[in-house]
Amino acid sequence: SLRFPEKLWKMLESGKFQSIWWTEGGKCVAINKDLFEMEVLGRKEQQVFHTQKIKSFMRQLNSYGFTKVQQDFQRSASLPEFLAEEAAASAHSQILYYYNPSFNRAHPWLSERCKRR
């Protein structure tokens, strides 16, 4: 059986899941929390991870050195654009971003450094 980082990598590269993806540049992992709970953790057959709870999955990420990061949005100067961006940002509030310096799409060999704490 594969280690957690290897499972995560395979999942990201498979293109089979809409709830988890690489962010631009391949430096972070983005997770649509609600969709991930249904699409990945809610599976009865072919479970990817040994949990059905998002909190347990997030603990796994943390135990392998991933940290939650805030996505920075560039703010517009005009009020209508600012309000539109605020609405978009709140719609994205269920998107979680995780970063690990040893988990980078451009450098797959680094993932071997992802060790459980």
Side-chain angles (χ1 to χ4, degrees):
S1 102
L2 297 173
R3 290 173 44 242
F4 178 82
E6 293 159 340
K7 287 181 188 178
L8 186 61
W9 188 279
K10 278 188 124 120
M11 175 183 250
L12 285 160
E13 290 296 306
S14 74
K16 293 178 186 169
F17 301 93
Q18 295 176 2
S19 60
I20 186 167
W21 63 93
W22 291 106
T23 60
E24 207 130 334
K27 292 187 167 115
C28 287
V29 175
I31 302 164
N32 179 318
K33 187 174 163 272
D34 296 336
L35 187 57
F36 189 81
E37 286 179 290
M38 286 187 319
E39 183 184 48
V40 179
L41 302 178
R43 289 175 151 215
K44 298 293 178 236
E45 289 123 36
Q46 292 183 311
Q47 273 191 318
V48 183
F49 302 102
H50 299 292
T51 185
Q52 294 177 329
K53 295 185 170 81
I54 191 75
K55 293 261 186 223
S56 299
F57 177 76
M58 290 159 63
R59 256 194 306 278
Q60 271 291 68
L61 284 167
N62 292 329
S63 74
Y64 278 93
F66 286 83
T67 52
K68 191 174 175 186
V69 292
Q70 296 300 318
Q71 194 70 354
D72 289 328
F73 294 98
Q74 290 296 319
R75 300 295 184 190
S76 294
S78 76
L79 184 62
E81 283 179 32
F82 177 79
L83 293 173
E85 288 169 5
E86 280 297 304
S90 67
H92 286 81
S93 63
Q94 288 296 76
I95 309 274
L96 309 173
Y97 298 92
Y98 281 89
Y99 170 76
N100 181 325
S102 298
F103 202 82
N104 184 316
R105 188 177 197 179
H107 308 292
W109 60 89
L110 287 177
S111 65
E112 291 173 19
R113 293 185 189 169
C114 293
K115 300 281 189 235
R116 196 176 175 97
R117 288 184 187 158

